[in-house]
Amino acid sequence: ILMTQLDEYIAGFPKEIQIILEKVRATVRRVPPEAEETMSYGMPAFRQKRILCYYAAFNHHIGFFPPVSESLRSEATQYAGPKWNLQFPLDKPIPYDLITKIVEHRVKENLEREK
């Protein structure tokens, strides 16, 4: 079986990080099931005409990109990194509900841009 670049990316991390990355992947996939998975800038990403989000593992956190819209910033403040990209510390629970909300919002934004 050939592994995709995404699977290879995830497989390159320790098992406990792989589990988190797979759960982030599954969380995003549930929102727009028709979104295409891709690799961009060396990170896993989801695209639905435009990029919805990127995610990546780092030494001490999971990065979640793109920037968070103004309407969700109050919920995401504790995770805010540079340019409002999010950093979820590996030593704390990952906020999968927040990831879902952000992706739902990104899908809505993309649909509005198309109009």
Side-chain angles (χ1 to χ4, degrees), residues 9-26:
Y9 175 86
I10 291 170
F13 292 94
K15 192 68 179 160
E16 62 274 10
I17 304 301
Q18 290 178 34
I19 291 167
I20 294 169
L21 289 170
E22 286 291 359
K23 193 161 180 189
V24 169
R25 185 181 189 183

Side-chain angles (χ1 to χ4, degrees), residues 26-77:
T27 299
V28 174
R29 180 181 280 147
R30 273 195 300 275
V31 177
E34 69 284 356
E36 168 194 357
E37 286 188 88
T38 187
M39 288 289 288
S40 183
Y41 299 105
M43 295 183 284
F46 279 85
R47 177 194 340 252
Q48 190 175 27
K49 298 198 173 151
R50 299 171 193 247
I51 294 290
L52 294 171
C53 66
Y54 302 86
Y55 59 96
F58 296 91
N59 289 337
H60 302 288
H61 69 277
I62 298 296
F64 193 75
F65 316 87
V68 176
S69 65
E70 202 67 49
S71 63
L72 294 173
R73 285 191 178 179
S74 63
E75 290 180 64
T77 299

